[in-house]
Every structure is written in C-alpha cells, then in structure tokens.
C-alpha cells in the first residue's frame, strides 16, 4: 500500500517538473531565435520594427518556429503551475489567462504580420488581434500567479520575486503601449516588454523544474 | 416552487460574494478587452504627421500642400529646409509621410507638362502605411483632376472631363471610423467570452467539490435549479454589458443612434443565452480544465471568427456562412450594429431577435434535460 502510494505520488510530482522544463525550453528557444534573427538581420531597425516583422524576411520560419515552441512551452508551464498550486479561483483564472495568452502567441506566429508597404489583410488582422490580446492577458495572469504563490507553502517564499518581475512586466507593457501611441521607438519598447515577460517565464519555469521533484504537489 | 428558485439564487449570490477574485476578473477583463480592441484594432488614419519639402515655393505648390491638412487625414508638423532632414524625420518617427515638391513643379504645370511629386511613407507601422500612401495619392489625384479641369475651361472646352460622375454617400458611418463598427461588435464578443466561463467554472467547481450531490438528492426540480443558477450570472453579465456600453460610448465617443430600451431588451435575451451555454457546457463536463477548454472552444473562438465581428460573413464561403447561424453572437452583433449604428428597430431586426430567443429557450430546455438525466 505504501509502495503504491509512493509510485502514485512520484507520477504526480514528475509532471510539473516536465512542464517546468517545457516552459524553460519554450522561452529559451524563443529568446534564442530572436537573438539569432537580430544578429543575422541588419535590415531591421531594432527601435522601430516589431519582432513580428522578422516573419516576412529571410529566415522568417525561425521566428515562427520559435514563437510556436514558446506558445507550447507556456501552455506546459501553465499546466505545471496548475498542478503545483492549491485549487481556487486564483489558480483557475491564472491558469486560464496564461493558457489563453500562450494560445495567442501561437496564433500570432501562424498568422504573420502584414509585410511593410502592403495593404492590411485578414491574416494581418488576426495577427493584430492575437498580439493585442496576448500581452495584457499574460500580465494579469502573472499577477494572479504571484498572488496564488503567496497561498502555497512551497511557493510562498518566491512570491516577492514573482511580484517584482510581474511589476517589471507591467512597466514594460505600459512603456510599449505609450511608445505605440506616440509612435516613438515602439520596436525597442516591444523588445523590452518581451524581455520582461520572458524573465518571469524563465524564472518560474526554472523554479518549477528544479524543485517539483522534491515537494508535495497539489492535486 | 418559486421560492426554491430564489433559494438557489440566494445560495449562488453568497457563493459569488465569497469569491472576489472572480468578480474582479469579470469586471477588469471585459473593460481591458474593450479598451485594447477598440483602440488598437482601428486602421483609421487621422492627423498623420506630415513633413513637407517644398522646393518650388510657388502658389501651385502651396495649393497642393494645403489640401493635405484640410483633408483631416494629415497634420503638417514640419517644413523641411534641406534634403538631409528627411531621413532623420522618418528615422525618429516624427513624420509618417514626407511630401517632396520638386523645384520645377509650377513651371511644368504652366507649360502643360506632367509635374511629379514624391511621397515617402514610414512603413514601420505596416498596418497603416499603405492607407497613408493611399490617402496621399487620392489628394494628389484630386488636385491633378482640378488642374486639368481648370485648363480645359481656360481653353474654352465645355465638355465634362469624364462621361460618368460618381456621387458617393456613406450611410450609417459617414466618417468611416472603424471603431464605430468595432465597438458595437465587441459588445457581443465580450459578452460571449466571460459570462459562460464564469457560469461553467462555478458549476464545475461544485461538481469537483461534490456539493452538487446534495442538490441531486434535494426536492428541487431541474428547471428550478437551472433557473436559479442562471439568474445571478445573467445579472452579472447584464451589469457587465451596462459597464462596457457606458465605457464604450464614453471612451470612443460612439454615436448611439437607436433605441436604448430595445438594445437592453436584446441584451437581456443574450445574457440568458450566454449563461445558458455556460450551464450546458458545465452539465457535460466534470473538471475545471475541460470546462475551460470547452467553454473557450464553444463560445469565445466562434464569437471572434463567426459573428461577423472581425470578418464580414458575406465574404465567407457558403458553408461557413450557414455555419455562423449556429452561434448566437452572430445574431447579437447584427442587432447591436443595427441599433447602435443604423437606428433600426424590431421591424428590421425581428428575425435576429426571434432566433436569439429560440436559441435561448433551446439551450435552457437541453440543459434542464441533461440535468434531469443526472438526477435520475
């Protein structure tokens, strides 16, 4: 009976670890693809062009692949956090919004932005809808996860870091929206916002992947 | 019998009050969605910054340049003195369009030759770059057309320049502002996104906790239970609608042309429909995870894709057009745009009202039957 329980617990515990690794992989692959594209594209102006503009250039598939892997990784991270946190409204909404944002990343990758100098298309419109929804949904999810961390014994000591990183992401997003409205260095502001979101994702994925095997996991 | 419904309503209200997170999300997210989609989906160009490099400095060049700010699409922000300024203006994003008038512009016009002007557009915001270029070309063509007519008139030619003259009038959205049709469409989409989710999660949470079993063994009838569950969430959804209606009209200055009571009547039917869909989903699922996924797949996604909010239904293939009738958001988006933008009443919108009403009754009946089976 005891042995059976150990096996059962081991199975439950291993999943968040795998999902944490998936989150780590997704965020790393996306960050790596962006670094690669920035190094290989001298024609893209970092301060003005959005990262989505890479889709329409040389090695556009690298961006699409990176973003799709990122989306799947975030879905995994979302599932992993769901397994690892206590049930309740915070967990439910954080999981839902983070999952929606992850789906939005994939939709934005698969429906490319309109190429520069072309009239707007429906495909470009889908890209716009997905990107518009993704950032704020993920931001709300980050804060909800931070609050959920405070209610769980294992995550409690990580709540401050999570909250700080979420606040940095909020500032990043606010900066991006401001730059977008003012039409000043929107590309740079978008990169900074992306970096702030990726920082939270990488940090939480790492925490999940490192410690999930040795602690109790909520059903 | 009536009191049992209100007992369920009261129980549900107490449950909702115990969950401030859900209420906060239910209030915050619709407003966030409305604001973001309403402001960022627009492809309109208004007061685009224009820099002018007038090398000719003649009456003719001034007449052309002045047409740009007068159109309402451009705002003249800078006069360029030297060619070197152009790249800097575009690089720094200070001008969305640069208009270059060459030194011989007026001379060529006077000689009756074709004069050329150049426009340079900032393509970094790709979605509107071509719209800006299109407006600039239209203004320049209009100027050229006027000049040609003047020259013919000066030579005594009394014939019209073109055999057919088009007099275009745009009804219902004369300034062609995209937010005027995006925001009324958003009302339908937002209402389909959150109320079903709230309802589904509330019921499935009870199922997961096992407390719903107590309902099964109580003397309450299925329709009383369903109605009791529906009413509080429909009330929240109705308040959500009032909130986004006020916010939409206030933030985006949308002209509300039609009847507010008629719009609210449609909203009442629609919120019961959306909440009913949430209950229907919750009656076939047992875990919150599945409930969330089903709810998103069955309500949020179709309301974006098949309601006519983003993609006009008439441009879809016939099979997809027929498919859109399966989703109530389609009817409500038509009602919303009809009332808000066109000031039409029941004499035009009765088929959509009827379809929405039948849909709601059908959802209620199916949900009650499914629940009855569970009780049995």
């Amino acid at each position: 009976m005891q042995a059976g329980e150990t096996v059962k617990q081991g199975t439950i515990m291993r999943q968040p670890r795998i999902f944490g690794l998936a989150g780590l992989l997704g965020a790393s692959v996306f960050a790596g693809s962006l670094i690669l594209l920035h190094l290989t594209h001298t024609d893209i102006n970092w301060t003005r062009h959005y990262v989505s503009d890479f889709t329409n250039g040389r090695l556009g598939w690298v961006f699409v692949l990176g973003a799709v892997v990122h989306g799947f990784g975030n879905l995994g991270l979302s599932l992993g956090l769901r397994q690892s946190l206590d049930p309740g409204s915070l967990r439910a909404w954080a999981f839902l919004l983070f999952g929606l944002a992850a789906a939005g990343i994939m939709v934005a990758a698969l429906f490319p932005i309109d190429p520069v100098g072309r009239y707007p298309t429906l495909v470009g419109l889908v890209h716009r809808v997905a990107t518009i929804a993704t950032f704020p949904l993920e931001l709300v999810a980050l804060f909800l996860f931070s609050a959920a961390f405070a209610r769980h014994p294992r995550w409690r000591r990580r709540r401050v870091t999570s909250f700080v990183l979420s606040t940095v992401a909020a500032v990043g997003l606010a900066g991006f929206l401001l730059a977008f409205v003012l039409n000043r260095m929107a590309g740079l502001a978008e990169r900074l916002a992306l970096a702030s979101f990726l920082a939270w994702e990488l940090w939480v994925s790492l925490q999940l992947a490192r410690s999930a095997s040795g602690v109790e996991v909520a059903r | 019998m009536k009191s049992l419904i209100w007992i369920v309503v009261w129980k549900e209200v107490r449950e909702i009050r115990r969950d401030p997170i859900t209420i906060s999300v239910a209030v915050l997210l619709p407003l966030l969605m409305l604001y973001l989609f309403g402001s960022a989906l627009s492809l309109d160009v208004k007061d685009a910054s224009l820099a002018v490099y007038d090398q000719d400095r003649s009456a003719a060049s001034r007449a052309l340049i002045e047409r740009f700010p007068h159109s309402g699409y451009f705002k003249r922000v800078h006069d360029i003195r030297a060619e070197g300024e152009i790249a800097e203006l575009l690089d720094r994003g200070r001008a969305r369009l640069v208009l270059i008038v060459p030194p011989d512009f007026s001379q060529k016009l006077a000689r009756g030759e074709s004069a050329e002007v150049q426009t340079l557009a900032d393509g970094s915001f790709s979605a509107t770059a071509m719209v800006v270029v299109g407006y600039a070309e239209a203004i320049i063509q209009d100027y050229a057309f006027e000049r040609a007519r003047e020259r013919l008139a000066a030579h005594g030619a009394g014939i019209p320049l073109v055999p057919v003259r088009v007099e275009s009038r745009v009804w219902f959205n004369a300034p062609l502002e995209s937010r005027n049709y995006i925001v009324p469409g958003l009302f339908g989409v937002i209402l389909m996104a959150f109320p079903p989710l709230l309802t589904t999660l509330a019921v499935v949470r009870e199922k997961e906790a096992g407390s719903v079993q107590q309902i099964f063994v109580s003397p309450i009838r299925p329709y009383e239970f369903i109605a009791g569950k529906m009413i509080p969430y429909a009330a929240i959804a109705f308040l959500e609608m009032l909130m986004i209606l006020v916010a939409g009209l206030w933030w985006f200055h949308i002209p509300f042309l039609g009847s507010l009571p008629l719009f609210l009547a449609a909203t009442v039917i629609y919120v019961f429909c959306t909440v009913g869909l949430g209950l229907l989903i919750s009656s076939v699922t047992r875990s919150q995870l599945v409930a969330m996924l089903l709810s998103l797949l069955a309500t949020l996604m179709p309301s974006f894709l098949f309601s006519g909010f983003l993609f006009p239904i008439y441009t879809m293939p016939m099979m997809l057009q027929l498919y859109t009738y399966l989703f109530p958001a389609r009817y409500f988006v038509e009602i919303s745009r009809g009332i808000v933008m066109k000031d039409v009443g029941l004499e035009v919108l009765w088929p959509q009202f009827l379809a929405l009403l039948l849909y709601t009754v059908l959802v209620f009946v199916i949900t009650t039957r499914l629940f009855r089976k569970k009780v049995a």
Side-chain angles (χ1 to χ4, degrees):
Chain A
M1 187 70 182
Q2 267 188 337
E5 275 177 6
T6 311
V7 170
K8 196 181 173 189
Q9 274 201 352
T11 312
I12 294 165
M13 283 172 190
R14 209 178 302 130
Q15 284 174 346
R17 186 179 166 79
I18 291 168
F19 286 134
L21 287 172
L24 206 58
L25 179 78
S28 309
V29 166
F30 185 55
S33 71
L34 287 183
I35 292 168
L36 174 73
L37 289 165
H38 278 88
L39 291 175
T40 53
H41 279 75
T42 48
D43 53 328
I44 293 276
N45 185 335
W46 293 24
T47 61
R48 293 172 61 213
H49 291 110
Y50 298 114
V51 290
S52 302
D53 284 319
F54 283 124
T55 321
N56 296 311
R58 194 164 39 87
L59 297 175
W61 63 270
V62 173
F63 178 82
V64 175
L65 186 69
V68 170
V69 173
H70 184 209
F72 273 115
N74 276 7
L75 275 180
L77 177 59
S78 189
L79 283 167
L81 286 172
R82 186 176 184 275
Q83 287 186 357
S84 133
L85 291 166
D86 289 330
S89 295
L90 276 174
R91 186 189 76 165
W93 283 106
F95 163 73
L96 176 72
L97 299 180
F98 202 81
L100 268 178
I105 291 171
M106 286 191 276
V107 171
L110 296 172
F111 291 81
I113 193 170
D114 288 322
V116 172
R118 300 265 180 84
Y119 278 103
T121 61
L122 285 178
V123 173
L125 185 66
V126 174
H127 179 89
R128 278 159 65 87
V129 169
T131 47
I132 290 165
T134 297
F135 273 117
L137 287 179
E138 185 165 339
L139 182 66
V140 176
L142 300 197
F143 279 106
L144 291 177
F145 270 132
S146 301
F149 291 165
R151 294 185 182 183
H152 193 276
R154 179 164 77 84
W155 286 93
R156 193 165 293 145
R157 63 193 173 85
R158 296 177 175 96
R159 71 186 189 281
V160 177
T161 314
S162 174
F163 186 75
V164 169
L165 287 174
S166 305
T167 308
V168 170
V171 173
L173 181 58
F176 175 40
L177 291 175
L178 193 68
F180 176 81
V181 171
L182 297 175
N183 195 25
R184 296 269 192 283
M185 295 199 281
L188 180 64
E190 187 205 26
R191 282 161 178 78
L192 290 173
L194 267 177
S196 62
F197 279 88
L198 282 171
W200 188 94
E201 290 165 11
L202 285 167
W203 179 76
V204 172
S205 301
L206 199 62
Q207 304 303 313
L208 195 63
R210 273 170 59 188
S211 57
S213 58
V215 293
E216 193 186 338
V217 173
R219 309 273 170 112
Chain B
M1 203 178 346
K2 190 180 169 187
S3 63
L4 282 179
I5 293 177
W6 292 110
I7 287 168
V8 179
V9 170
W10 179 237
K11 176 210 157 267
E12 206 55 39
V13 169
R14 288 177 66 184
E15 284 284 333
I16 292 166
R17 280 172 60 188
R18 277 189 211 144
D19 190 2
I21 304 292
T22 298
I23 293 297
S24 310
V25 172
V27 172
L28 179 73
L29 276 184
L31 285 176
L32 198 67
M33 266 182 81
L34 178 77
Y35 184 74
L36 286 169
F37 285 121
S39 38
L41 269 185
S42 164
L43 292 175
D44 300 337
V45 173
K46 208 174 178 183
D47 288 339
S49 49
L50 170 76
V52 177
Y53 187 23
D54 183 4
Q55 295 170 290
D56 191 40
R57 297 186 175 278
S58 63
S61 66
R62 276 194 295 277
L64 170 66
I65 292 162
E66 276 166 15
R67 282 173 178 253
F68 281 78
H70 286 161
S71 68
Y73 299 121
F74 295 96
K75 188 178 175 185
R76 192 171 171 179
V77 294
H78 195 84
D79 286 320
I80 298 168
R81 304 280 171 207
E83 205 173 328
E85 291 176 48
I86 296 173
E88 197 192 336
L89 281 167
L90 287 172
D91 276 350
R92 291 179 181 274
R94 287 186 186 156
R96 296 279 296 277
L97 187 84
V98 173
L99 175 67
I100 303 169
V101 185
D104 55 352
F105 177 73
S106 55
Q107 287 172 6
K108 278 189 171 176
L109 284 180
R111 287 198 297 265
E113 296 172 18
S114 281
E116 288 163 353
V117 291
Q118 190 180 11
T119 55
L120 300 172
D122 176 358
S124 61
F125 191 59
S126 53
T128 55
M130 287 310 287
V131 181
V132 169
V133 171
Y135 285 150
E137 282 176 1
I139 291 168
I140 294 165
Q141 288 300 324
D142 192 49
Y143 173 81
F145 183 76
E146 193 99 352
R147 293 284 308 191
R149 203 163 55 184
E150 280 171 17
R151 213 162 60 223
L152 278 174
H155 286 84
I159 52 164
L161 272 178
V162 281
V164 180
R165 193 179 165 89
V166 183
E167 283 289 338
S168 301
R169 296 278 185 276
V170 178
W171 281 23
F172 313 125
N173 185 14
L176 289 175
E177 296 250 11
S178 48
R179 60 181 51 168
N180 283 356
Y181 69 85
I182 285 176
V183 173
L186 267 176
F187 294 154
V189 172
I190 290 174
L191 228 56
M192 190 45 87
F194 297 103
L197 204 56
L198 283 177
T199 322
T200 308
L201 286 178
V203 177
V204 176
R205 203 183 300 146
E206 272 191 50
K207 277 188 178 178
E208 280 185 349
S211 57
V212 80
Q213 303 297 331
Q214 293 167 5
I215 303 290
F216 292 156
V217 294
S218 71
I220 194 165
R221 291 174 187 174
Y223 76 89
E224 290 169 337
F225 176 73
I226 299 296
K229 281 274 180 193
M230 260 184 162
I231 290 168
Y233 289 101
I236 291 176
F238 189 76
L239 289 176
E240 259 183 16
M241 175 51 120
L242 289 181
M243 193 176 65
I244 57 174
L245 178 66
V246 171
L249 300 181
W250 181 52
W251 280 336
F252 301 111
H253 307 289
I254 307 297
F256 193 105
L257 302 177
S259 157
L260 185 62
L262 189 65
F263 182 80
L264 294 180
T267 303
V268 170
I269 303 172
Y270 189 55
V271 296
F272 273 102
C273 185
T274 61
V275 169
L277 279 173
L279 283 172
L280 181 61
I281 292 163
S282 67
S283 66
V284 294
T285 50
R286 285 185 182 176
S287 85
Q288 287 192 54
L289 185 63
V290 179
M292 279 179 192
L293 288 174
L294 252 182
S295 182
L296 294 175
L297 286 174
T299 59
L300 182 65
M301 297 276 280
S303 69
F304 263 103
L305 299 174
F306 303 118
S307 67
F309 162 64
L310 279 181
F311 313 115
I313 290 169
Y314 65 86
T315 61
M316 296 175 183
M318 185 49 74
M319 285 307 288
L320 272 187
Q321 286 191 32
L322 293 174
Y323 184 61
T324 61
Y325 287 105
L326 291 175
F327 303 103
R330 179 209 157 113
Y331 308 115
F332 189 76
V333 168
E334 283 177 358
I335 291 172
S336 176
R337 284 184 175 150
I339 295 174
V340 176
M341 296 176 71
K342 299 182 179 176
D343 187 15
V344 291
L346 266 182
E347 71 284 357
V348 174
L349 295 171
W350 69 266
Q352 285 84 354
F353 267 85
L354 188 65
L356 207 52
L357 198 61
L358 289 175
Y359 204 107
T360 308
V361 172
L362 191 68
V363 166
F364 186 81
V365 169
I366 293 172
T367 311
T368 310
R369 278 182 173 273
L370 283 173
F371 186 77
R372 188 175 292 150
K373 274 186 188 173
K374 289 235 184 316
V375 175

